[in-house]
Amino acid sequence: MGPRILGRQHRTSQAVSRRPGRVDFGESVPETSRDVDDDRVPNDRLRAALDAAGLTIEQLSVRVSVDPKTVERWVYSDARRPHRTTRQQVAALLRVEEGHLWPAGPRQNGAATTGVAELVHLYPSRSAVPFSLWTDLIQGVAEAMDVLVFSGQFLVEQHNILPVVRSKAAEGVRFRFVVGDETSPAVIQRAVEEGTTGGLEGRIQMMRRYLQDIAGLPGVEVRTHGTILYNSIYRFDDQALINGHAFGSLAGQNPMLHVRRVPDGTLWEHYMRSFERVWDVAQPEPAGR
C-alpha cells in the first residue's frame, strides 16, 4: 500500500499555507516551468475525493498511467491540472464530477463561482468522514481551532485531541470549545428527539470533564451553551467541517460539509457568524470544575 495522501509526513517540503487570502485564482502554468513547492495552495477537493475513495497517490498514478510525482503536483497545487482526458479518467475513478475537482470558473470568474470553490466535499454522514481527514485537520492547525457541539466526545476518545491542544496552545494556537449545558431545555429536548434520554446529557458531562484538563491554558477557552444546535461546527484555520442536524437523527448519521475559506466566499462567513453568535451568549466554563 502506498502512503495515505492526507498524512502530514507526505506533505511537500514547504508547509501548505492555510492562511486566509492565500488562495490564488491566477492562470495555471505548465508543470515543467516551476517546482511543485512554488504554488502552495492544495487542491483540497482532489485530496478529499482521493481519501473518500480509499486511494493513495501511488494507486491513482498506476490507474491513470502517470508518474506519482505528477499526481502529487495535482494534489498539492490547485494550479496544476492534468490534460482533459486524464481529468475525465480521474473523475470517473473517484466518482465525482470533473468540474468539482478542477472547476474552470474560479480562475476566470472567481466572484461568480465562490460557492463551488468553498465546497471541498460532501459526506453522507459524519461517520463517513475519513479518520485520516480528522487527523490531518487537527494536527495541521496552525492558528485557530473552534468547536461548537453539544458533546463532541469523539474528539477526545477517538482522536486524542487533548495532547494536541496542550502542545499547540504552547506554540500560540488559539482554541475555543463551546459544548452543551446538559441541564438546558435544548439539550434535554434533543435527547428525547434522538431517543437517547440521559445518554446525551451523560456524554456532555464527560466532555466537560475532559475539557477541564485544558481549560485555562493560555489561548484555550471553554464555554457552555443552551442554544438549539442547528449545526455542529469544527473549524481548523481556514477549513471547516459542518455537521447539519435533522430531527430525530443522531449527529453521526447526518451529512457533513467540508468547506474552506476563499476570498469573497459567503458559505464560510455564514457558518462562522453562527459560531460567533453562540460564542457570545455562551457561559465561560470555570477551570477546575
Side-chain angles (χ1 to χ4, degrees):
M1 290 289 290
R4 298 291 290 177
I5 67 163
L6 289 173
R8 290 173 61 79
Q9 66 270 31
H10 300 295
R11 291 191 181 279
T12 51
S13 59
Q14 286 184 294
V16 174
S17 172
R18 296 176 183 266
R19 294 177 181 273
R22 291 298 300 274
V23 179
D24 176 14
F25 292 133
E27 289 296 315
S28 173
V29 301
E31 291 183 356
T32 57
S33 67
R34 57 182 173 181
D35 185 79
V36 64
D37 286 338
D38 289 344
D39 201 326
R40 302 186 184 94
V41 181
N43 187 332
D44 292 317
R45 284 160 287 179
L46 178 57
R47 297 171 69 197
L50 269 170
D51 204 63
L55 292 177
T56 65
I57 285 176
E58 291 181 353
Q59 290 169 334
L60 182 63
S61 71
V62 171
R63 297 196 184 192
V64 297
S65 302
V66 299
D67 188 89
K69 289 292 185 182
T70 299
V71 178
E72 190 172 286
R73 291 187 179 97
W74 301 341
V75 171
Y76 291 111
S77 170
D78 68 359
R80 305 302 181 89
R81 300 175 179 223
H83 294 295
R84 180 174 177 79
T85 54
T86 307
R87 293 201 303 268
Q88 293 172 340
Q89 189 178 4
V90 171
L93 284 170
L94 301 181
R95 297 182 179 181
V96 295
E97 294 292 330
E98 175 195 341
H100 176 71
L101 297 176
W102 293 285
R107 297 184 181 281
Q108 299 170 7
N109 186 10
T113 56
T114 53
V116 174
E118 285 183 283
L119 179 62
V120 176
H121 201 77
L122 171 62
Y123 296 95
S125 65
R126 191 189 76 192
S127 57
V129 178
F131 188 91
S132 56
L133 176 60
W134 285 104
T135 299
D136 185 68
L137 292 173
I138 292 170
Q139 294 289 342
V141 170
E143 296 179 357
M145 177 174 171
D146 294 328
V147 174
L148 169 62
V149 290
F150 269 163
S151 170
Q153 184 182 359
F154 73 98
L155 291 172
V156 176
E157 298 186 347
Q158 296 179 30
H159 300 287
N160 196 27
I161 196 174
L162 297 185
V164 178
V165 173
R166 291 191 193 96
S167 174
K168 288 186 175 291
E171 298 171 357
V173 178
R174 186 202 71 193
F175 292 89
R176 295 188 295 177
F177 294 90
V178 195
V179 299
D181 175 354
E182 69 274 12
T183 66
S184 68
V187 168
I188 295 171
Q189 179 180 345
R190 173 63 61 85
V192 172
E193 293 168 353
E194 290 181 347
T196 60
T197 303
L200 176 60
E201 295 94 325
R203 293 197 303 275
I204 291 173
Q205 288 178 316
M206 290 185 68
M207 185 60 171
R208 292 178 69 178
R209 176 62 186 87
Y210 281 136
L211 292 176
Q212 283 304 304
D213 289 344
I214 57 172
L217 290 176
V220 180
E221 295 183 81
V222 179
R223 297 185 181 183
T224 58
H225 74 103
T227 68
I228 296 173
L229 190 67
Y230 296 102
N231 298 278
S232 294
I233 298 174
Y234 309 86
R235 179 262 180 111
F236 312 88
D237 292 340
D238 62 354
Q239 298 190 67
L241 296 174
I242 311 296
N243 189 194
H245 297 292
F247 184 91
S249 59
L250 301 170
Q253 298 173 325
N254 291 311
M256 182 80 87
L257 291 174
H258 181 183
V259 301
R260 64 175 179 175
R261 185 176 187 176
V262 301
D264 300 318
T266 59
L267 188 61
W268 172 274
E269 296 298 334
H270 176 75
Y271 285 110
M272 293 307 106
R273 281 196 300 270
S274 176
F275 176 91
E276 295 296 342
R277 289 183 181 122
V278 178
W279 179 259
D280 287 344
V281 300
Q283 297 300 309
E285 185 83 318
R289 185 175 67 92

